[in-house]
Every structure is written in C-alpha cells, then in structure tokens.
Amino acid sequence: MMSVMELYQKLETQAVQVKALETAKADKTEIDAAVQLLQKLKVDYKQVTGEDYKAGCPPGADDEDTVDPWNVSTSNAKGVDYEKLIVRFGSSKIDKELVDRVEKVSGQKPHRFLRRGIFFSHRDVHQVLDAYEKDKCFYLYTGRGPSSEAMHVGHLIPFIFTKWLQDVFDIPLVIQMTDDEKYLWKDLTLEECHHYAAENAKDIIACGFDVNKTFIFSDLDYMGSSRDFYSNVVKIQKHVTFNQVKGIFGFSDSDSIGKISFPAIQAAPSFSNSFPQIFRGRTDVPCLIPCAIDQDPYFRMTRDVAPRIGYPKPALLHSTFFPALQGAQTKMSASDPNSSIFLTDTPKQIKDKVNCHAFSGGKDTVEEHRKHGGNPDIDVSFMYLTFFLEDDEQLEKIRQDYTSGALLTGELKKILIETLQPMIAEHQEKRKQVTDEMVKQFMTPRPLKVNF
C-alpha cells in the first residue's frame, strides 16, 4: 500500500518531469503520456486525502503535528495523534492479532511496549514472522545518533525493546552509531562525534546485549573499512534522485551535499550483505528495524529502492515518542537538563526533576482533585510509568485511582520516583562494568552467532 507521502512524492516528481519535457520541447506523444499520468496521480491523491494536490505543500502541512527525523512537535497535551500518523505514513496498526501472533511465534509473553501500544505501528512484520516460522533467520537493526555523552531514559526505549526481541527470537543485531550524521547536522567536530559514539555505546552495552550476537559500529569507522557496506551505499545513492530526497526529507538547495547523501548510509544496514562477516555475503536475510516513528522516512526510501537493487524490503516496528518532563507537546533537549531524566542523574536529581518539572494532569487544589480526579492521559508521571512499570494490573489501578481522585499528583510522582531511582541506579552500576576493551569487542567486525 502506497502511503500518502509516497503518493505526494510521486506527484512532485511527475510534475517536474512534465515541466522538463515541455521545456525540452519533447515529442507530443511523450508529453501527453506524462501529463496523463500526472492527472491520474492527482485523482488518486484527492481520493486518498480528500484534498487537491498543491505543489510544494506536503500532506499534513496544516496539521497540528510535525513529525520528521529532526523535528517532532504538537500542540496537543496528549501528544502526537498516532492514528493520523499511521494514515499519513501509510503504515499498519499493531493490533491484538499481531501481538497474539508474536506471543505464539516467540513462545513468550509480549513485551509491555507491545501490550500497551508503545510500539504501535509496523511494516511487513507478518512476513518476518512467516520466515521465522519456516526456520529462516532474520536480523535486527537499530541505531543511535550520538550528539552528547549523556543519554536520557527516552533513548533507552528502542534498546530495551530490541534486547527483548534479540532474546526471545535468538537472532543477531546490528546497531549503527551515526556519528557522521551528527557531524553534518550539529555544531560538533568529527572527533567529538566519534567520542560520543563510543560513550553512548557503553550505555547501550549496559542494556545487556549479547556480545556473541551484537555488532555495534561507528559509521566513521565502518564505512572506510567495509567495501560491501560502502558498495550498498553507492547502489542506493544511484537509485534515489535528488527530487525524491527533497520530497522525503525536505532538503533545500542550501543544504550540504553530505546531508543529501546521508540517507543512503542509514539505509545500507537494512541489507544483510552490508555485513559479510556476519551473513557470509548472503543478500536474502530479512531485516527488522525497531525505531521511533520519526525515522520512518529513511526506511520508506529504503523499502522503495530495495527491489530495484535486488534486496528484500526491511520490516519495521514503530514506537511512540517519549515525552519531555514538561509535557508531551514539548521536546526533550540535551541542552535543557530539566527536560528529561538522564542516565547520569543521581537519586536526588531524579526526585527533584519529577517533583518540580513533571507536567501534572491533576487539579489545582486537593479538594478539587478529590472531587473531579486527574487526567492520566496528559500527566507525564503516568506516561513515564506506562513505559517503565512492568505490572499491568498495578498500572491500571494507578490510572483508576488517579482518575477518581483517590490518588493525588504528589503520590503519583512518588510512585514514579520510586520506579525510576532503582532503575537508573542499576543502569549506572552496569555501565561502570563496561570497559573500553568491551566496547572494542562489540565494535570490532567479526562473525556473530547466526542460526541459518
């Protein structure tokens, strides 16, 4: 199924093509055929969106939500409208049938992120499960853009879930550290980005990944050492036009050529022969990518180009966004230490941040709150518990008590503090045990345990 954005991009490309043919005074038959295709695409676009196509106005431009790989914003206190996002991106909702199937195929209770809709959308996950049921291996790919030494709890979400997937399916994993991307987009030196990649790798390793099944790589290191990886980058670059990249990512003529060419580098790990040391040159090993939904544009491009270079399309699992302490409509920032809980925070810092900065869905007075109750859907403390509290029954009891007014905002914050403090302390202890030698071992290209 073609997404609304993909349809819009085809329209943009076709409109440019018609103009080019007319300018070049091409054969009338060729121009007429191009115009006819353009008109058909316009009709399709109106049927899908209910709106006329306007050049330079992508779908959702007037919506209250902005979602792309670099910007996420909404005016809604509940956060981004994910139902609308599924329609706009053309992905599929993760329904109970898929969750039940994951449980059946893996033989394990679904992770709380699946049970609670934190991972809410997918592309072709059924096909990956089909292959697994036929005893065919697949692999996982996720990544991290290292822009500072300090990661926050939101950064852990894809890694917590990816580790669960690795454990229950017993499959290999590649983790891309896009230090090159951060150099291109941020005011940082190459040396700083490379250093942050190694430091962030320590936090990732502390999540408990199996070194025998996990390869973590820096783009700055791996691109220069692997001909197979770079060959795939070049293949992707050859088959994606500048107009397509502009349509997908919104690049302008003033953007550097590094930014314009980078999407091919993020796409390349989706193909198994980018890692010959792991998959022995095989091109047919399916890839599953757990990531936040804002990264989907990269992989829509990847899925479009894959058949043209002879590779299977990667499957995806999309997560919701982790809210800032100040509310789901605000953005977490490494430059604002009060916008999130960082993995370096002390128990006192965690307590102070939650008490002073966590947006409340409660009422202004205790009397009013007892009478009318709070709104857990906009309360950041409850949102954080949805991510980190394992017990479903306990979470539902908290929701009901907060909604009824039996549980006060201060009491809800106390529950969150008591959940986060031991979790962060445990992570810090595990990170201390990650040595530079361990990082080197994870980041050295080598064979992994693969059950072909």
Side-chain angles (χ1 to χ4, degrees):
M1 171 177 148
M2 190 187 303
S3 73
V4 176
M5 186 60 75
E6 288 169 332
L7 184 54
Y8 168 78
Q9 289 157 7
K10 283 188 178 291
L11 265 165
E12 291 278 279
T13 303
Q14 190 62 23
V16 170
Q17 177 69 11
V18 168
K19 190 172 182 179
L21 289 171
E22 290 173 341
T23 302
K25 297 182 179 179
D27 182 79
K28 184 177 182 301
T29 305
E30 189 177 1
I31 294 174
D32 288 347
V35 170
Q36 190 174 1
L37 176 56
L38 180 64
Q39 294 302 326
K40 180 183 181 303
L41 289 170
K42 286 181 177 180
V43 170
D44 291 344
Y45 185 83
K46 184 159 188 177
Q47 286 179 341
V48 172
T49 66
E51 301 173 358
D52 291 325
Y53 160 73
K54 295 178 184 176
C57 294
D62 297 326
D63 287 357
E64 59 186 358
D65 296 344
T66 299
V67 176
D68 63 43
W70 307 282
N71 302 286
V72 177
S73 64
T74 179
S75 59
N76 191 330
K78 293 182 180 180
V80 170
D81 188 327
Y82 294 106
E83 295 290 338
K84 285 184 179 179
L85 210 54
I86 287 172
V87 174
R88 194 199 309 177
F89 282 7
S91 58
S92 301
K93 185 174 182 178
I94 295 178
D95 54 17
K96 188 177 183 302
E97 179 189 354
L98 180 55
V99 175
D100 289 345
R101 188 173 181 211
V102 170
E103 181 173 17
K104 178 184 176 185
V105 174
S106 68
Q108 301 289 328
K109 179 181 179 180
H111 194 277
R112 63 181 181 274
F113 291 174
L114 274 178
R115 303 195 305 267
R116 296 173 189 167
I118 289 169
F119 275 81
F120 71 100
S121 164
H122 77 99
R123 296 185 187 278
D124 290 345
V125 169
H126 281 293
Q127 292 183 19
V128 171
L129 296 176
D130 288 344
Y132 187 79
E133 285 184 319
K134 295 173 183 174
D135 295 325
K136 294 181 180 178
C137 175
F138 68 94
Y139 73 101
L140 298 165
Y141 156 39
T142 193
R144 162 84 185 126
S147 58
S148 69
E149 285 190 2
M151 290 171 61
H152 57 64
V153 287
H155 291 141
L156 288 182
I157 302 307
F159 297 110
I160 290 170
F161 188 58
T162 300
K163 181 187 183 303
W164 180 81
L165 290 169
Q166 183 184 62
D167 289 345
V168 300
F169 289 106
D170 189 24
I171 48 176
L173 159 69
V174 296
I175 300 174
Q176 181 182 43
M177 308 298 284
T178 56
D179 38 14
D180 52 346
E181 176 205 16
K182 291 307 171 187
Y183 173 71
L184 292 167
W185 264 269
K186 301 282 187 180
D187 185 20
L188 297 167
T189 67
L190 275 172
E191 290 71 24
E192 286 173 325
C193 295
H194 192 253
H195 170 70
Y196 294 154
E199 289 302 306
N200 287 184
K202 292 179 181 178
D203 279 304
I204 293 168
I205 292 166
C207 292
F209 290 106
D210 185 343
V211 69
N212 296 310
K213 294 184 286 184
T214 306
F215 174 45
I216 304 174
F217 65 97
S218 144
D219 283 343
L220 290 174
D221 290 334
Y222 193 58
M223 274 272 286
S225 66
S226 174
R227 176 180 174 178
D228 297 87
F229 185 89
Y230 185 60
S231 294
N232 277 341
V233 170
V234 173
K235 287 179 185 178
I236 296 160
Q237 288 172 339
K238 182 173 182 177
H239 288 82
V240 180
T241 68
F242 180 45
N243 277 332
Q244 286 174 314
V245 170
K246 283 203 299 184
I248 296 169
F249 299 100
F251 294 139
S252 68
D253 293 343
S254 62
D255 279 309
S256 71
I257 59 173
K259 289 183 179 181
I260 293 159
S261 61
F262 173 74
I265 299 172
Q266 186 155 323
S270 307
F271 307 129
S272 56
N273 66 331
S274 291
F275 307 99
Q277 72 277 15
I278 302 173
F279 300 107
R280 305 167 204 164
R282 285 183 55 170
T283 62
D284 61 339
V285 184
C287 176
L288 174 61
I289 306 169
C291 62
I293 187 71
D294 62 330
Q295 297 300 299
D296 188 67
Y298 282 111
F299 301 114
R300 289 203 300 271
M301 183 200 79
T302 307
R303 286 167 54 83
D304 179 63
V305 78
R308 286 184 275 143
I309 56 177
Y311 300 146
K313 294 181 179 182
L316 284 100
L317 283 163
H318 300 126
S319 74
T320 59
F321 301 115
F322 192 81
L325 279 170
Q326 288 82 358
Q329 72 273 44
T330 60
K331 184 174 173 58
M332 286 179 287
S333 170
S335 61
D336 179 3
N338 294 321
S339 66
S340 188
I341 306 296
F342 286 80
L343 300 180
T344 52
D345 283 347
T346 64
K348 184 180 185 304
Q349 286 175 316
I350 294 169
K351 181 179 179 180
D352 291 346
K353 283 185 180 183
V354 172
N355 282 332
C356 298
H357 301 288
F359 184 81
S360 169
K363 299 298 185 286
D364 293 335
T365 67
V366 171
E367 183 182 64
E368 191 181 358
H369 187 91
R370 292 292 191 202
K371 183 177 180 181
H372 299 290
N375 182 356
D377 294 333
I378 65 170
D379 191 289
V380 166
S381 294
F382 185 80
M383 291 179 185
Y384 277 31
L385 287 172
T386 302
F387 281 87
F388 297 120
L389 195 64
E390 176 60 33
D391 192 314
D392 292 338
E393 291 184 6
Q394 184 184 359
L395 183 69
E396 182 56 29
K397 178 74 163 53
I398 292 168
R399 172 189 282 278
Q400 291 175 5
D401 287 350
Y402 193 61
T403 304
S404 70
L407 186 71
L408 298 175
T409 297
E411 294 168 333
L412 176 59
K413 288 186 174 185
K414 185 173 184 288
I415 296 171
L416 175 62
I417 291 164
E418 291 173 349
T419 301
L420 288 177
Q421 284 176 332
M423 185 188 89
I424 300 298
E426 181 182 2
H427 180 86
Q428 290 170 353
E429 192 56 39
K430 288 180 177 177
R431 192 188 191 279
K432 286 178 187 174
Q433 298 169 19
V434 179
T435 63
D436 291 339
E437 185 58 38
M438 288 173 65
V439 173
K440 184 179 179 181
Q441 188 178 3
F442 270 92
M443 298 188 77
T444 297
R446 65 202 188 284
L448 297 182
K449 178 185 173 185
V450 182
N451 297 318
F452 284 124

